[in-house]
């Protein structure tokens, strides 16, 4: 049984933040990957597709999709304020 993924809709500010963190080479790779996951999810891609593009397990994509839906940017990392 397939569970529908949480839809990710970004504000302009959230999209700008995520894109900036993907481009910034000083950002830890783990955070950059999380930001890319959310950007791909916002494009409407399924978790399996996102996982294949980034090279992570689809459960990892689902985890970050849900966390972002619940806590938005603050849920991406303990270091982001």
């Amino acid at each position: 049984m397939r569970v529908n993924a949480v839809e990710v809709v970004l504000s302009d500010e959230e999209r700008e933040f995520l894109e900036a963190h993907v481009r910034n080479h000083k950002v830890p790779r783990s955070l950059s990957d999380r930001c890319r996951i959310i950007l791909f999810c916002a494009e409407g891609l399924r978790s399996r597709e996102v996982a294949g593009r980034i090279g992570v397990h689809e459960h990892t994509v689902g985890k970050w999709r849900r966390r972002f839906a619940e806590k938005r940017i603050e849920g991406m990392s303990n270091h982001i304020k």
Side-chain angles (χ1 to χ4, degrees), residues 12-75:
D12 291 340
E13 293 81 15
E14 289 171 331
R15 181 174 299 281
E16 288 173 21
F17 176 90
L18 295 168
E19 289 174 348
H21 277 69
V22 168
R23 288 190 306 267
N24 185 344
H25 297 292
K26 294 181 180 178
V27 170
R29 172 75 186 262
S30 58
L31 179 56
S32 176
D33 283 350
R34 291 175 202 158
C35 292
R36 290 190 329 193
I37 286 170
I38 299 307
L39 288 166
F40 281 136
C41 290
E43 290 178 16
L45 296 177
R46 293 174 55 181
S47 292
R48 183 174 293 184
E49 295 171 293
V50 175
R53 290 185 184 200
I54 296 180
V56 298
H57 196 279
E58 66 184 284
H59 291 294
T60 302
V61 176
K63 168 187 170 180
W64 290 108
R65 180 191 296 265
R66 285 186 305 276
R67 189 171 292 181
F68 184 82
E70 292 172 10
K71 300 181 181 177
R72 310 308 291 179
I73 294 295
E74 290 76 24

